[in-house]
């Protein structure tokens, strides 16, 4: 009886260790490129948010060489996926983390930089852990960043795992567009996110 108890305790500790972001083993990360298909997202002239975030998500997968991190792209085509479908697909994959990628637009052309959001739910602590790491990696590269923000976004609220939304920059800001809309810049953005997963 004692042995069973000890074994059970060990198993519990082990599974806890896997799920603990401060002690990462192999983790599964779903990248949710926002918008797609008929939903272009934010737009500046012919440049669409849906394309930018799809490009950054492909770069992310290409750049992640860590064998302990499995990157799964939720959207690889230019297709419309409803938020409900996104959530149910994510639930089927049961990842350790979801990163939802978006880009901003503001009437204030001076507004710029990276913003990260987490929901207020059972996963807030873990989501915030990753969110803060992502912000830190951008800050280190002299990106404009704001403090981690709380948001009621449908996807963040409804997936059964830690999740963050990254607004990669503002299409309405000329400086941000230099990296949002260039291959070099998109690779750079992806690299900062990948580096914060380690
Ligand atoms: Zn968006």
């Amino acid at each position: 009886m004692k042995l069973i108890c000890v074994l059970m305790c060990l198993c519990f500790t082990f599974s806890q260790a896997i799920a603990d972001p401060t002690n990462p083993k192999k983790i599964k990360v779903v990248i949710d490129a926002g918008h797609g298909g008929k939903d272009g997202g934010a737009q500046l002239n012919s440049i669409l948010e849906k394309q930018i975030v799809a490009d950054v998500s492909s770069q992310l997968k290409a750049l992640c060489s860590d064998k302990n991190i499995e990157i799964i792209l939720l959207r690889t085509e230019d297709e419309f996926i409803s938020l409900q479908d996104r959530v149910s697909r994510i639930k089927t994959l049961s990842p350790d983390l979801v990163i939802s990628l978006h880009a901003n637009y503001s009437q204030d052309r001076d507004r710029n930089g990276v913003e990260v959001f987490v929901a207020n739910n059972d996963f807030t602590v873990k989501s915030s852990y990753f969110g803060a790491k992502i912000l830190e990696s951008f800050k280190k590269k002299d990106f404009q960043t704001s403090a981690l923000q709380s948001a009621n976004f449908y996807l963040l609220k409804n997936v059964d795992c830690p999740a963050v939304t990254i607004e990669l920059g503002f299409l309405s800001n000329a400086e941000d567009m230099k990296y949002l809309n260039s291959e070099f810049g998109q690779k750079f953005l992806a690299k900062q996110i990948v580096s914060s997963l380690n």
Side-chain angles (χ1 to χ4, degrees):
M1 193 63 189
K2 250 188 187 166
L3 181 67
I4 292 171
C5 183
V6 169
L7 279 175
M8 277 176 71
C9 290
L10 275 177
C11 287
F12 184 61
T13 319
F14 182 58
S15 61
Q16 269 190 329
I18 284 180
D20 181 1
T22 59
N23 183 20
K25 306 283 177 195
K26 182 159 179 129
I27 62 165
K28 194 194 272 185
V29 181
V30 168
I31 307 298
D32 166 55
H35 312 282
K38 64 181 181 186
D39 173 16
Q43 180 169 7
L44 181 81
N45 306 321
S46 61
I47 303 160
L48 296 168
E49 177 187 356
K50 68 171 182 178
Q51 186 60 51
I52 291 171
V53 293
D55 290 345
V56 173
S57 73
S58 311
Q59 294 287 4
L60 237 153
K61 186 160 173 75
L63 284 169
C64 186
S65 55
D66 190 330
K67 286 197 286 293
N68 290 323
I69 303 172
E70 184 189 358
I71 300 276
I72 299 166
L73 304 185
L74 199 68
R75 173 166 82 77
T76 52
E77 308 285 327
D78 180 20
E79 59 170 330
F80 175 78
I81 314 172
S82 72
L83 289 172
Q84 289 80 356
D85 283 348
R86 284 174 200 255
V87 167
S88 61
R89 285 188 202 186
I90 289 166
K91 283 184 174 170
T92 313
L93 292 163
S94 62
D96 298 288
L97 175 67
V98 176
I99 299 177
S100 188
L101 296 178
H102 287 263
N104 251 323
Y105 190 95
S106 172
Q107 294 302 325
D108 176 0
R109 304 255 154 173
D110 291 333
R111 247 188 107 183
N112 71 329
V114 178
E115 294 180 341
V116 179
F117 299 86
V118 298
N120 254 327
N121 58 12
D122 294 348
F123 303 99
T124 306
V125 172
K126 282 182 182 168
S127 301
S128 302
Y129 170 83
F130 283 112
K133 271 183 90 175
I134 290 166
L135 278 171
E136 194 53 42
S137 71
F138 279 105
K139 215 188 242 175
K140 268 192 211 148
K141 296 291 175 184
D142 295 327
F143 273 75
Q144 175 75 33
T145 54
S146 49
L148 188 66
Q149 294 171 72
S150 169
N152 225 5
F153 300 153
Y154 181 86
L155 188 135
L156 292 183
K157 256 187 351 189
N158 289 289
V159 292
D160 289 335
C161 63
V164 299
T165 290
I166 309 177
E167 293 279 357
L168 294 163
F170 286 78
L171 276 84
S172 42
N173 179 268
E175 285 302 307
D176 280 8
M177 273 305 274
K178 282 183 192 165
Y179 64 83
L180 285 173
N181 195 39
S182 70
E183 197 186 327
F184 171 82
Q186 290 168 352
K187 255 189 197 162
F188 196 79
L189 289 167
K191 218 170 148 189
Q192 303 326 308
I193 299 168
V194 167
S195 74
S196 62
L197 295 175
N198 293 316

